Amino acid sequence: MRSAPAIRWLLVAFACLAAAVVLAPATVPIYDGIGNPDEPYRYVNPPAGSRATKPPTTAAETLKVRHGRSVAGQVNTDEFGPQLALFVPPGALELPAAATAVTVTAAPVVAPTEQPSDGALEGNVYRITATASGGGVDLVGLGNQAPVLDLRAPTARQPGPVIEHFADGRWTSYETSRVGNDVYRTRIDALGDWALVRGHSGGGSSSSLVLPIVAGALGAGGLLVGVLAIRRRRRTGAAPDVSR
């Protein structure tokens, strides 16, 4: 029979592993600059000294409509890795009654003349739009139903940038997480122009990347300690009395 201390160590190990699963993000970026290096960033207006590249690509995806609601869809640009990736949850778009499909597009555009007051634009500005036959389309998904936007930065320099939205002549920053070597994520609550902005005194949070790593390390460490405790207990246990 296993000793009580060994059982306690196993319970701790399983608890740590469960925490790692809970804390891990729902999606893991495919392209993070590790193993499969990203191609050089493609600019709308290349800065001085940047490498010559092909033009940046436009992402477009047509989503089906079922029972008056748009189905879920993924919209990625074609670079390696994608400079923009947008996940649209089901029902996140408000559609005209006659719509049978909706097309979501994210196109790199020339940056507006109004610059962010809290930093400098980093990479391209992307204009996200949605169109459907029968009328206009708006974004209505909020909270967990809000679309998830990933933008790749031209470099992995830290502190990283944050994602900001441009509307009505001004830029607004959004809570941003680092989810890859040079990839940043937020949930958007509007269509329109989105970009990365490198602040004057800081950047995006890396909490969503760090927490799963820490939790995973705790889980693996706890499991290893539990196994070692059992083996040590077996080696040091008293030999059976065979003299009777």
Side-chain angles (χ1 to χ4, degrees), residues 57-171:
T57 62
T58 295
E61 189 71 27
T62 298
L63 311 180
K64 296 180 179 179
V65 174
R66 294 175 181 166
H67 308 295
R69 290 164 50 91
S70 57
V71 302
Q74 184 73 36
V75 186
N76 290 0
T77 58
D78 290 335
E79 298 86 10
F80 189 93
Q83 293 182 186
L84 176 145
L86 178 67
F87 172 70
V88 183
L93 300 171
E94 184 178 39
L95 307 174
T100 57
V102 56
T103 299
V104 180
T105 303
V109 297
V110 175
T113 56
E114 296 85 351
Q115 294 294 300
S117 61
D118 57 346
L121 291 173
E122 179 150 323
N124 300 326
V125 175
Y126 283 89
R127 182 164 297 160
I128 301 174
T129 59
T131 58
S133 59
V137 176
D138 199 3
L139 186 60
V140 294
L142 298 174
N144 291 334
Q145 289 301 111
V148 178
L149 173 64
D150 288 2
L151 291 176
R152 175 161 72 91
T155 73
R157 182 165 60 94
Q158 296 299 307
V162 297
I163 297 177
E164 298 201 8
H165 180 234
F166 180 73
D168 300 324
R170 67 187 183 93
W171 290 90

Side-chain angles (χ1 to χ4, degrees), residues 12-37:
V12 170
F14 284 123
C16 291
L17 288 173
V21 173
V22 171
L23 290 172
T27 58
V28 178
I30 297 175
Y31 305 97
D32 60 2
I34 302 175
N36 294 317

